[in-house]
Amino acid sequence: MNYAISKEPINVQEVIDKVVQREAGAITTFIGTVRELTHGKKTLYLIYEAYESMAVKKLEQIGNEIKERWQGSEVAITHRVGKLDITDVAVVIAVSTPHRADAYEANRYAIERIKEIVPIWKKEHWEDGQEWIGNQLETVAYPKGKPEESDLHE
């Protein structure tokens, strides 16, 4: 399965292996990690949650968008949920294409689309408190710790 939500640490090489193809001249990877400082606050750890079945569908949708836009591409995306410490891998995106420029562009497209449409949200834990951040663009807050049903669109 090229699109997954994982409760376990992500094996980067396994994600890459899903996109290896004889026609590809390039494979790009994006590895998103948990950073220590966000907006000047020291983060201790994050908790990611997701509406998993819909998140996988949206990851697949992104993969299909990439395949339509960049001919000959192959895509694999895994996003982790649960408690993640500083430097833990939160998301891995691998894209292979016949030419390197397309692989870079498609990979960047993937991470931006994930933030736009995939129902994954996080709670940041800082030295002086914690907060559910909301959607990944940080444009919608989820003060109750998850989106309202009306915020989730199939």
Side-chain angles (χ1 to χ4, degrees), residues 33-99:
T33 59
V34 178
R35 67 178 168 260
E36 185 174 45
L37 292 174
T38 304
H39 306 299
K41 286 187 168 187
K42 183 176 180 180
T43 302
L44 302 176
Y45 63 92
L46 301 177
I47 296 177
Y48 278 99
E49 291 189 2
Y51 177 11
E52 290 187 34
S53 62
M54 187 170 155
V56 171
K57 287 178 188 174
K58 292 297 185 179
L59 293 174
E60 185 174 6
Q61 175 186 329
I62 293 165
N64 289 334
E65 290 171 5
I66 289 170
K67 288 177 183 183
E68 286 179 25
R69 189 166 171 181
W70 289 277
Q71 294 301 307
S73 62
E74 190 59 55
V75 183
I77 306 169
T78 300
H79 202 298
R80 189 164 168 207
V81 294
K83 182 181 181 229
L84 280 75
D85 293 314
I86 304 307
T87 74
D88 281 352
V89 174
V91 62
V92 175
I93 302 166
V95 177
S96 66
T97 60
H99 305 285

Side-chain angles (χ1 to χ4, degrees), residues 1-153:
M1 178 163 45
N2 282 24
Y3 309 99
I5 300 296
S6 177
K7 293 177 176 67
E8 301 300 322
I10 300 169
N11 181 319
V12 175
Q13 189 61 52
E14 284 180 6
V15 179
I16 293 168
D17 289 347
K18 293 175 182 179
V19 303
V20 172
Q21 53 178 331
R22 295 175 70 88
E23 301 81 7
I27 297 174
T28 59
T29 56
F30 173 81
I31 302 169
T33 59
V34 178
R35 67 178 168 260
E36 185 174 45
L37 292 174
T38 304
H39 306 299
K41 286 187 168 187
K42 183 176 180 180
T43 302
L44 302 176
Y45 63 92
L46 301 177
I47 296 177
Y48 278 99
E49 291 189 2
Y51 177 11
E52 290 187 34
S53 62
M54 187 170 155
V56 171
K57 287 178 188 174
K58 292 297 185 179
L59 293 174
E60 185 174 6
Q61 175 186 329
I62 293 165
N64 289 334
E65 290 171 5
I66 289 170
K67 288 177 183 183
E68 286 179 25
R69 189 166 171 181
W70 289 277
Q71 294 301 307
S73 62
E74 190 59 55
V75 183
I77 306 169
T78 300
H79 202 298
R80 189 164 168 207
V81 294
K83 182 181 181 229
L84 280 75
D85 293 314
I86 304 307
T87 74
D88 281 352
V89 174
V91 62
V92 175
I93 302 166
V95 177
S96 66
T97 60
H99 305 285
R100 70 179 174 271
D102 289 345
Y104 280 113
E105 289 175 28
N107 201 298
R108 178 163 185 140
Y109 177 87
I111 191 61
E112 299 304 330
R113 287 293 282 157
I114 287 169
K115 290 181 173 289
E116 288 175 12
I117 69 169
V118 180
I120 297 172
W121 53 96
K122 67 183 174 183
K123 185 175 193 178
E124 292 206 22
H125 291 260
W126 305 295
E127 291 179 308
D128 62 348
Q130 60 192 22
E131 180 183 358
W132 282 103
I133 300 303
N135 70 347
Q136 293 199 55
L137 289 175
E138 299 183 16
T139 57
V140 179
Y142 301 151
K144 296 179 182 176
K146 62 181 182 178
E148 300 293 326
E149 269 311 300
S150 60
D151 293 331
L152 299 173
H153 307 286

